[in-house]
Amino acid sequence: MDAINYARQAGYDCCLVDTAGRMQDNEPLMRQLAKLIKINEPDLTLFVGEALVGNEAVDQLTKFNNSLIDHGCKGVTENSSAINGIVLTKFDTIDDQVGAAVSMTYITGQPIVFVGVGQTYKDLKQLDAKSVVKALMR
């Protein structure tokens, strides 16, 4: 809350809150995260996962989303996702193995807003849907 208030007072348009690896199976940490979301009412809640783990990322996302919902974070409608988007890191390492990325958007109904293709902020790119479709068709 202090960071958000500081950003607001300093005239920043954005405040990024990184929850430092909240494991979706750790109930106390997920409860704290849900409380953080409910109190601060962020414009966006993004799930960040590694693309290279494949279908494990789908399982992580599902448990993460369900845990937030179980702790009172709900979307606009009763059946909607508690997250607003997905960031997939290490996307440059998966070549044509993009099926998990497609499954993640299907399960949540939320877009992949960025993919990480390196180690810096400059390496966060928008997903090129045409290249994903091309990889699936190989």
Side-chain angles (χ1 to χ4, degrees), residues 69-115:
I69 290 169
D70 291 346
H71 289 95
C73 294
K74 298 212 185 278
V76 178
T77 66
E78 188 173 320
N79 295 327
S80 66
S81 177
I83 64 162
N84 306 103
I86 302 164
V87 177
L88 283 178
T89 64
K90 302 179 183 173
F91 200 76
D92 54 324
T93 64
I94 62 171
D95 295 323
D96 62 348
Q97 305 298 314
V98 296
V102 173
S103 295
M104 294 173 86
T105 60
Y106 177 77
I107 287 168
T108 61
Q110 301 302 322
I112 296 173
V113 292
F114 292 110
V115 292

